[in-house]
Amino acid sequence: KYPKLISFIIGVMSIFNFLYAQTSSQHDAFISAHETGLARIRTLSCVMEKYELSEGKKTLTIKQDYWRQGENVRCRSLEFGRPPEDWLCRDGKIYSLTRFEDPVSKKMVVQGSFTLLSKAGTRFDLWSEALLNLPYGNTSLSQLESRGFRVTTVQLAPKWTMRWENTELKSWIEASLDPARHFRIRSFQWGQLVERTDGRTQRSRAEYEVSEFKELDTGDFFPKAVQSKHFVNDTLILESVTKFDKIELNKPIPDSRFTLPLPKGSHVYNAIDAQSYPADENWNRVGTAKPVMRAPKSPPPETPPQTVTPPEPALPWWGWPLLALLFTSLIGGAIYWRRRKS
């Protein structure tokens, strides 16, 4: 009797092990397909326009001329309501030129600034907007699990979909790939439950979907239009559409495009050393540097912050029955061994 029971339990455990191996294999296939698709893009240049949609009207909010080659990025950005900005990411730094009218002299002034890329904070980047590659806090899909997210669903057919959850942040992320278009992200969603100070909860959700792809003469695909919607407690609060034009992939971009010469007579704010000084066209100091006061740091909290360790990946839904069966088999085996010995 007991040998048959143990054989049955071992058989069931083998099935669960097979399912786990299949899920792990699907997870690796999903991430690998997405990363391989992104790696096909070696250079990118295009023009982007982002429109807000409200009450049947379409309002242009951001326009960018964009070039990217590896980690080098050059962008001329016009965000309505703000001065035009020309910025460059290169060699671990981000350089920015802003043009605005001096309120006293009424003349156009060019202000240059630069800092370490790691200190620049979040910046609106077309790469993220078009390819949805930085969906959560500047984190790619392949890095989500190292940030405390665990995979709860993975499916490769008929629709390539993966879902992650983070119980500590009370948030979730779901992405779907398009296998017919080099596994570009077709749709992406995230949601979060926020506890408000008044004791009420607020549900936030964002949805992004590529409504149109463009097939280029190189055989590559790139989004031509991306629709986005933002909800609070299931109420739509913001809707926009981002359009891409003059798209070129994997075509040579001259290195001169990834330089940002300073106009003559410009001053530079060096955020790394907290200094301001006149500089030549290559951003080298040519005059006396003046210290610039940094923003005061917030006072330390009364109690030191605790280090939060990302939670270990949770077991899938069938993990607990597997553990129960394993425990039962051990108990059954012990009883069988003891009775046979007696």
Side-chain angles (χ1 to χ4, degrees), residues 267-309:
H267 273 69
V268 166
Y269 168 54
N270 179 345
I272 300 174
D273 301 322
Q275 294 180 342
S276 178
Y277 46 75
D280 62 18
E281 64 175 7
N282 297 317
W283 296 74
N284 298 316
R285 181 165 63 90
V286 295
T288 304
K290 297 180 180 179
V292 178
M293 293 292 293
R294 297 182 186 270
K297 295 183 180 180
S298 303
E302 295 182 1
T303 57
Q306 297 180 350
T307 302
V308 178
T309 303

Side-chain angles (χ1 to χ4, degrees), residues 20 23-24 27 143-152 163-167 309-317 319-320 323:
Y20 178 80
T23 301
S24 178
H27 166 273
Q143 297 173 320
L144 283 175
E145 287 148 69
S146 65
R147 302 293 181 92
F149 284 82
R150 63 183 179 89
V151 177
T152 58
R163 182 183 175 96
W164 297 259
E165 293 183 2
N166 187 314
T167 54
T309 303
E312 294 294 328
L315 290 172
W317 63 269
W320 293 112
L323 290 178

